[in-house]
Amino acid sequence: MTRKETTPLSRHVDGIYRTESRRVFATLVRLLDGDFDLAEEALHDAFRAALEQWPREGLPDSPRAWLVSVGRFKAIDRRRRAARFAALDEMPEPGCDDADDPAVLADDDIGDDRLRLIFTCCHPALSPEAQVALTLREVCGLTTEEIARAFLSAPATVAQRIVRAKTKIRNAGIPYEVPSQVNLPERLDSVLRVIYLVFNEGYAASGGNALTRHELSDEAIRLARLLASLLPEAEILGLLALMLLHESRRSARTTPDGDLILLEDQDRSRWDAALIAEGQALVDAVWSTRRVGPYSLQAAIAAVHGGASEAAATDWARIVSLYDLLERLEPSPVVALNRAVAVAMHDGPAAGLALIDALLQRGELTDYHLTHAARADLNRRLGQVEQACAAYEQALALAKQAPERLFLERRLAELHAAASD
């Protein structure tokens, strides 16, 4: 939405836009035969109409249904004006349209238009990069710039990926549907990857003034729950457990002013015990199947943290062993970095620092701010002030998110002050 108002109702409309716009969009895509661009235009037309009509007519009983209905009317008008379809005269006139019909607005047997949308965006005909970019844009409503930061890519590159993906969907006739039960398992990997990226963007935003964007994390968890109800495979349950266990720590991750609090310094009484219990139960259920995958292993690591009453009680030996399994199952520089931090906690900072230095010497994660932040912290713990300052400065040069930058600046200032004493 581009129009800015200051009235209470307009602020309420802004709130509805934040919480409902992508749901409205997903339903409009279904009602408009999979036309992403027309659905996006209809979505914004509907919210413009809401800003004009709701102050006069009041808030409708069902804002989402109203927005879907008006958006569909607006799309019909756009199609008529553009004369895109020869048979448009057969379409119902406004006032006779069936968009208010519960049978039209009701979700089908999968229970969610957004789940249908995410499977369409993650269709195997699209490249993995396009799947993620399109889902973040169309399902979650992230801007091109936000997606570019997540990809460490230029905004123009991401925009081209999105345009090409929508063109591919249209030209290839990719259906707007959830795959059949037979084809569903092979489609899950890309969907799980996208859902987890959405969660991560909400749990640790890639940029901006806030550490988190809870609406994205909530949406990722909601989608994972839907997936689990549809197909309770071990890795779906593992991903859900992982997100729940991370989400349990949200309220303890920042001060009232929004400043970052590290895991070891968090007030664990503020962790959500219900989410921890649910996540740990899911981890136990997955491990009982003996079909443990990368998400399940990460969830098991998070469960170890969740079971520690205080930081000093953390079973770091167990965490290191789980990272050993994860590194064998799905090796990656980020997994190696996380394992190095766990090793530092178990065997001492020098052991972890050696592993991180080896990563950097191989040219891995040199542009990842958390690599340099971890290295800086280990140097700090070893009393190597000059090296710690240099690493903090490198991390600060790469960090995009305001709370992380503030945290790094404070650590750097503390080191400079200590060195001058």
Side-chain angles (χ1 to χ4, degrees):
M1 294 177 66
T2 57
R3 178 174 174 174
K4 300 293 182 185
E5 301 285 353
T6 58
T7 66
L9 182 57
S10 68
R11 289 195 293 271
H12 189 57
V13 174
D14 286 341
I16 292 174
Y17 184 87
R18 288 191 297 273
T19 59
E20 294 289 340
S21 62
R22 303 326 292 176
R23 291 182 175 88
V24 172
F25 172 76
T27 300
L28 286 170
V29 173
R30 170 164 61 90
L31 297 177
L32 298 173
D33 304 318
D35 191 327
F36 279 67
D37 291 333
L38 183 59
E40 192 73 46
E41 292 169 349
L43 171 72
H44 291 290
D45 285 344
F47 273 97
R48 278 192 290 270
L51 286 170
E52 294 170 359
Q53 296 182 37
W54 290 359
R56 299 193 308 267
E57 303 170 4
L59 193 68
D61 292 337
S62 176
R64 178 173 177 255
W66 189 97
L67 290 162
V68 170
S69 179
V70 169
R72 195 180 189 207
F73 290 155
K74 297 290 187 181
I76 290 170
D77 288 341
R78 282 180 178 272
R79 281 178 166 174
R80 285 199 176 104
R81 287 196 301 270
R84 293 178 180 174
F85 298 94
L88 281 178
D89 290 339
E90 299 176 7
M91 298 189 77
E93 293 292 332
C96 302
D97 190 83
D98 60 353
D100 292 321
D101 186 341
V104 173
L105 290 180
D107 298 321
D108 64 7
D109 60 329
I110 220 36
D112 197 306
D113 276 324
R114 298 192 78 184
L115 191 58
R116 185 181 301 105
L117 178 59
I118 197 171
F119 269 102
T120 302
C121 291
C122 295
H123 195 278
L126 306 176
S127 70
E129 295 81 6
Q131 291 173 17
V132 175
L134 187 63
T135 303
L136 289 174
R137 178 68 192 93
E138 304 299 353
V139 179
C140 302
L142 271 66
T143 65
T144 301
E145 289 73 19
E146 289 170 328
I147 300 168
R149 284 196 294 271
F151 275 125
L152 301 177
S153 301
T157 301
V158 173
Q160 289 171 358
R161 286 176 184 165
I162 293 170
V163 169
R164 285 197 296 266
K166 289 193 287 188
T167 301
K168 178 81 171 182
I169 289 172
R170 182 177 62 251
N171 293 345
I174 292 174
Y176 189 63
E177 63 184 15
V178 174
S180 67
Q181 198 73 18
V182 174
N183 297 324
L184 192 56
E186 66 186 26
R187 293 275 302 278
L188 275 177
D189 285 349
S190 58
V191 171
L192 294 180
R193 183 178 65 252
V194 169
I195 290 177
Y196 193 40
L197 184 57
V198 172
F199 176 83
N200 282 333
E201 179 62 30
Y203 187 72
S206 58
N209 295 322
L211 180 68
T212 64
R213 299 177 60 186
H214 66 85
E215 70 278 5
L216 291 181
S217 299
D218 290 347
E219 188 58 33
I221 290 172
R222 191 179 74 87
L223 288 171
R225 288 190 189 281
L226 284 168
L227 268 179
S229 67
L230 172 70
L231 189 69
E233 290 290 327
E235 270 298 81
I236 300 175
L237 299 179
L239 175 59
L240 177 57
L242 175 61
M243 294 191 296
L244 292 173
L245 289 162
H246 282 320
E247 186 67 11
S248 71
R249 305 197 293 261
R250 176 187 293 277
S251 64
R253 295 180 65 224
T254 58
T255 68
D257 294 329
D259 295 337
L260 176 66
I261 303 176
L262 295 182
L263 176 64
E264 62 193 71
D265 299 322
Q266 290 174 14
D267 178 359
R268 299 188 179 211
S269 68
R270 298 180 62 197
W271 288 4
D272 189 319
L275 290 181
I276 292 173
E278 183 181 1
Q280 289 177 329
L282 286 169
V283 169
D284 291 342
V286 171
W287 280 75
S288 69
T289 68
R290 296 184 175 276
R291 289 182 287 125
V292 178
Y295 294 116
S296 303
L297 283 169
Q298 292 176 72
I301 292 168
V304 175
H305 287 296
S309 59
E310 57 182 5
T314 304
D315 187 349
W316 286 107
R318 172 67 173 161
I319 289 176
V320 171
S321 68
L322 289 168
Y323 271 121
D324 288 342
L325 291 173
L326 181 58
E327 197 167 28
R328 288 200 295 269
L329 185 63
E330 192 172 77
S332 77
V334 172
V335 171
L337 173 63
N338 290 334
R339 181 183 178 277
V341 172
V343 167
M345 298 303 295
H346 184 250
D347 298 328
L353 184 60
L355 294 173
I356 292 176
D357 284 344
L359 271 174
L360 292 172
Q361 287 169 8
R362 293 196 298 268
E364 296 176 326
L365 300 180
T366 55
D367 294 330
Y368 188 42
H369 71 285
L370 294 180
T371 309
H372 300 287
R375 187 173 186 276
D377 183 62
L378 297 181
N379 277 308
R380 180 183 65 85
R381 296 186 184 202
L382 289 167
Q384 299 170 349
V385 175
E386 184 177 347
Q387 296 94 322
C389 287
Y392 275 127
E393 287 170 354
Q394 285 180 290
L396 192 56
L398 295 167
K400 302 296 183 184
Q401 196 221 58
E404 287 186 330
R405 291 183 59 81
L406 181 60
F407 175 84
L408 294 169
E409 287 168 352
R410 286 177 175 171
R411 278 289 167 89
L412 191 56
E414 290 170 1
L415 286 175
H416 284 316
S420 63
D421 289 343

